[in-house]
Structures are given as C-alpha cells and as structure tokens.
Amino acid sequence: MIKKILLTLIGIFILGAVSLTVYWNLPIEITRHSDIEYGNKLVLNLENYQKEHKNLPRYNDWNVLSQLGFKQQELGVSPDYAVDSTGYYELVYMDAFDGPYLMYSSREKKWSIDFPKVFKR
C-alpha cells in the first residue's frame, strides 16, 4: 500500500517536472501568444501614427496612447512604451521585477525576451 502511494507520488512529481521543462522550452510565440497579438495591434497603430504625424507619440501623452489602444495603468501604460530621439521605440511587458521581459523592438522588428534598451526621457 505504501509502495503504491510512493510510486504514485514519484510519478506525479516526474510528470510535473517534465511538463514544466516542456513549457519553459516552448517558443514565446506560443507561451505569450495573447500578449504578442495585442502588442502587434499596438505596433500597427504606432506605425500608422508615425506615418501620419511624422513622429511617434511621447511616452507620457496619455490621450494619444489610449487612442492607439494602450491600457492605462497606475504607473503608466501597458505594455510599457518608450521612444528614443532617433525614432525607435520598444514595447515591454513588465511582468516581473528583475526581467528579462517580453519586448518588441522597432529597431529589430521582432519580439524577444530581453532587457529594455530604450529608456524614457
């Protein structure tokens, strides 16, 4: 009886460890699909805004950012948006305190897990 319980617990532990390992090794396009899908809509809106106005909105222009689809939160917008003086921007999902974070770079035109390189000024 105790042997069956012990084997069952070991099996559950091994299954859990294998499941976590598989999940952590999945591409971000699968694990963060909804965030990337929402972010891609924001990227499209930012690109259209830039074509129309010949520049990007400032990171603290809440009215424009909300019109573009950003969700306003207590400390800014979600995902975090930063633009530099050369016209490049980043969208960063600040989910954890230390990072790395899910991030879109307009310079590289792709999503990655990285640390922000463009900072608000």
Side-chain angles (χ1 to χ4, degrees):
M1 178 74 166
I2 292 179
K3 190 174 182 180
K4 279 186 174 181
I5 292 173
L6 187 59
L7 286 175
T8 302
L9 289 175
I10 290 172
I12 290 171
F13 177 76
I14 290 172
L15 180 63
V18 168
S19 297
L20 282 174
T21 302
V22 168
Y23 179 77
W24 283 330
N25 289 307
L26 287 172
I28 60 171
E29 290 81 8
I30 293 173
T31 59
R32 301 294 299 270
H33 176 75
S34 61
D35 289 334
I36 290 174
E37 188 176 333
Y38 172 63
N40 284 338
K41 291 176 185 174
L42 295 176
V43 168
L44 183 61
N45 291 345
L46 284 167
E47 298 292 330
N48 289 336
Y49 182 92
Q50 187 175 29
K51 285 178 189 173
E52 186 177 324
H53 295 90
K54 306 294 184 231
N55 62 4
L56 289 164
R58 293 191 43 81
Y59 73 89
N60 59 358
D61 191 346
W62 311 120
N63 291 331
V64 171
L65 293 177
S66 66
Q67 289 173 4
L68 293 176
F70 283 87
K71 298 174 187 168
Q72 191 166 357
Q73 294 185 336
E74 190 174 311
L75 298 174
V77 293
S78 176
D80 194 46
Y81 163 74
V83 63
D84 67 11
S85 60
T86 62
Y88 290 106
Y89 64 90
E90 290 177 343
L91 301 178
V92 181
Y93 285 97
M94 301 275 197
D95 298 331
F97 291 111
D98 296 333
Y101 309 105
L102 175 62
M103 182 181 93
Y104 177 83
S105 168
S106 68
R107 184 179 311 255
E108 298 169 11
K109 302 248 185 251
K110 69 175 189 170
W111 289 94
S112 63
I113 301 292
D114 205 350
F115 291 97
K117 294 169 186 66
V118 174
F119 297 99
K120 297 175 187 170
R121 296 171 197 221

